[in-house]
Amino acid sequence: MKKKLLPALFTFLCIACQAQVDYSVDSIRVVNAEWSVDTLEGFYLKRYHFGDGTLFCSAQHLSVIEIPARSHRRLAFVHDTILTEVSTLAARCNAYAAVNGSFFDMDLGNPVCYLRIDGTPLGENTPGKTDSVNRKYYQYASIALRNGRASLVVPDSNRHWEERLRDSNIMTSGPMLLNGGNEVEQRDDRTFVTNRHNRTALGIKPDGTTLLVVADGRFKHKADGLSLPELQRIMRWLGCSEAINLDGGGSTTMYVHDRPHDGVVNYPSDNGNYDHEGQRPVSNAIIVL
């Protein structure tokens, strides 16, 4: 009987929540959650399952890698010409942690956003079907690694803009979520923005602390996923002043060395099961060294 009552209770809570949205309550839930915290060498792994259906009128499972500003850990980009799981890309480099990176062509395996690693261009911003000059919506933000620390930059509309940058390691993705402490306005005419999906993001706090964040999705009443405006709010409530959206959906994966399930700590959705086995092979990743 209790199992039959749960879906009805969840629906009731959602209807009640939608009737009067109060994001201040949601922000308190995130900030005051009793996060599971693993203190690792030079960074933290934090996780929480908002399973009661009340965060954004939904169930959410969030995982966060937090790298303090004074940590000796550094970020790097990795890429393979063959689509490869995040855990494999990370293990090859003896990485301590990793998340999936930017967008890619699932058939050809190549990046569809600008990517430069150690000075070598490996991917370019693919043009739109009717516009070969300007960049696509998800190409309007870039991560530049400087001494292994992330800096976020906002390019102009020219899709070759990154070629002028002198940084050796650049990954373009997007859209930008937070800039200068402010939420960046998102389009409301794209389901990519308005629908809930698994999400991956990188954020930077004012003190230089870096966050790698994944929100699981596509599991109704367990992990519904986030819209981009909801992801914006999560990143701000976690203390970030700058944040960028990365590839999401079935690509969303977080790896931490020496954890169970081959290091996969979230619930990738590509196998359709709420477990740790559903990694999607990807083109590139962000790793923690």
Side-chain angles (χ1 to χ4, degrees):
M1 181 65 69
K2 289 183 178 180
K3 290 184 178 179
K4 293 182 179 179
L5 288 174
L6 287 177
L9 177 60
F10 187 91
T11 301
F12 172 79
L13 289 171
C14 285
I15 293 173
C17 185
Q18 289 168 353
Q20 184 176 2
V21 177
D22 186 351
Y23 291 124
S24 65
V25 174
D26 285 318
S27 68
I28 293 171
R29 290 190 182 102
V30 172
V31 173
N32 290 343
E34 294 182 1
W35 292 78
S36 168
V37 180
D38 291 339
T39 302
L40 305 172
E41 189 179 344
F43 65 101
Y44 302 96
L45 171 63
K46 301 181 177 180
R47 289 175 287 181
Y48 194 81
H49 185 207
F50 297 87
D52 58 2
T54 57
L55 180 61
F56 303 128
C57 304
S58 61
Q60 300 293 339
H61 187 274
L62 303 179
S63 302
V64 181
I65 291 171
E66 180 175 315
I67 308 170
R70 294 183 180 180
S71 172
H72 60 287
R73 296 293 168 211
R74 294 294 179 262
L75 299 180
F77 302 142
V78 292
H79 163 76
D80 198 339
T81 56
I82 300 172
L83 296 182
T84 307
E85 293 178 344
V86 170
S87 60
T88 301
L89 290 171
R92 284 178 185 171
C93 302
N94 294 317
Y96 282 82
V99 295
N100 61 292
S102 190
F103 300 88
F104 60 94
D105 187 309
M106 291 183 62
D107 294 321
L108 301 177
N110 58 286
V112 296
C113 298
Y114 188 86
L115 179 65
R116 184 192 300 172
I117 299 179
D118 295 335
T120 301
L122 297 169
E124 62 179 11
N125 294 319
T126 57
K129 294 181 179 178
T130 59
D131 187 349
S132 62
V133 176
N134 297 307
R135 58 186 61 226
K136 294 181 179 179
Y137 183 66
Y138 53 78
Q139 298 168 342
Y140 269 94
S142 298
I143 306 168
L145 296 184
R146 296 160 183 166
N147 296 318
R149 308 296 295 188
S151 295
L152 302 188
V153 292
V154 181
D156 63 28
S157 61
N158 187 302
R159 69 184 184 89
H160 297 290
W161 179 86
E162 290 90 338
E163 295 175 7
R164 312 173 206 163
L165 295 178
R166 296 183 179 181
D167 300 279
S168 297
N169 294 279
I170 301 167
M171 177 182 287
T172 290
S173 188
M176 196 82 163
L177 301 172
L178 302 173
N179 190 10
N182 299 313
E183 293 182 1
V184 178
E185 184 176 359
Q186 304 296 312
R187 298 181 64 159
D188 59 7
D189 60 346
R190 295 287 188 274
T191 57
F192 168 76
V193 176
T194 58
N195 286 1
R196 284 176 171 155
H197 297 285
N198 326 43
R199 302 288 184 177
T200 306
L202 181 147
I204 304 172
K205 294 184 177 184
D207 69 353
T209 295
T210 300
L211 300 186
L212 299 171
V213 178
V214 305
D216 292 311
R218 300 181 181 169
F219 297 109
K220 196 65 177 174
H221 306 326
K222 294 180 180 178
D224 290 308
L226 298 169
S227 69
L228 284 188
E230 290 168 343
L231 180 61
Q232 277 184 313
R233 294 185 178 98
I234 291 292
M235 299 305 288
R236 181 162 55 83
W237 295 338
L238 290 175
C240 297
S241 56
E242 312 287 329
I244 180 176
N245 178 63
L246 299 167
D247 187 16
S251 300
T252 289
T253 305
M254 178 176 286
Y255 164 91
V256 175
H257 172 69
D258 219 16
R259 301 284 106 172
H261 312 292
D262 293 326
V264 178
V265 299
N266 73 309
Y267 295 86
S269 64
D270 240 27
N271 65 348
N273 297 320
Y274 189 62
D275 57 27
H276 303 279
E277 309 301 322
Q279 285 190 83
R280 172 183 292 175
V282 298
S283 170
N284 55 80
I286 302 174
I287 62 174
V288 180
L289 298 173

